[in-house]
Amino acid sequence: ALIGGYFLQLRSGAGDRGPDRFDAIVDSIPNSIEAPARVAAVPEFWFAFHHRGRPVSLIYHALDESRYWNETPGAFDAYDAVILDPATPDYANLLARARPGKPVERVVHTWRRDFTVLERK
């Protein structure tokens, strides 16, 4: 039964849960050697950016670090892209603060999770 369940998960898109599940999102954010994209993202994206050799600033919600993102005027202004998690309690505030200067907004669905990506184009 366990082996059958394993193969059923493989067939039903278990790849959406693998370590490369965020790679398409990372690759969709324009980046060049001359002008590397500045990205702020929730911690789930750290490995995907690190694996691609791309820098990323993390939006932590632990140890009161989220106060910076929630209270500092213009905290997101320097970033070309911001990736937020709608499941966080301060999502509405972070979204409102990240929107200025980033006209492209999309919701990306991964396995059981949605993320909002805001970008300059």
Side-chain angles (χ1 to χ4, degrees):
L2 289 174
I3 292 173
Y6 172 75
F7 284 114
L8 181 63
Q9 282 185 343
L10 285 177
R11 211 178 96 222
S12 67
D16 291 345
R17 292 171 256 163
D20 61 346
R21 68 188 175 279
F22 298 132
D23 287 355
I25 299 168
V26 171
D27 291 342
S28 74
I29 298 171
N31 191 48
S32 69
I33 294 172
E34 301 83 31
R38 295 209 40 187
V39 180
V42 291
E44 290 88 334
F45 284 84
W46 177 83
F47 179 78
F49 279 93
H50 178 71
H51 178 69
R52 297 281 195 215
R54 294 182 61 179
V56 63
S57 295
L58 298 179
I59 304 168
Y60 281 115
H61 288 87
L63 303 173
D64 206 28
E65 188 175 324
S66 65
R67 282 183 51 208
Y68 171 79
W69 300 105
N70 280 295
E71 298 174 8
T72 303
F76 292 108
D77 291 354
Y79 294 95
D80 300 307
V82 178
I83 303 172
L84 301 173
D85 182 355
T88 58
D90 57 353
Y91 171 73
N93 182 52
L94 293 176
L95 183 64
R97 296 172 63 77
R99 270 188 176 140
K102 295 167 193 69
V104 178
E105 184 174 329
R106 58 194 163 104
V107 174
V108 179
H109 181 74
T110 64
W111 186 71
R112 295 187 183 179
R113 299 285 299 275
D114 289 329
F115 294 97
T116 302
V117 181
L118 301 119
E119 298 177 71
R120 288 186 191 136
K121 286 286 182 175

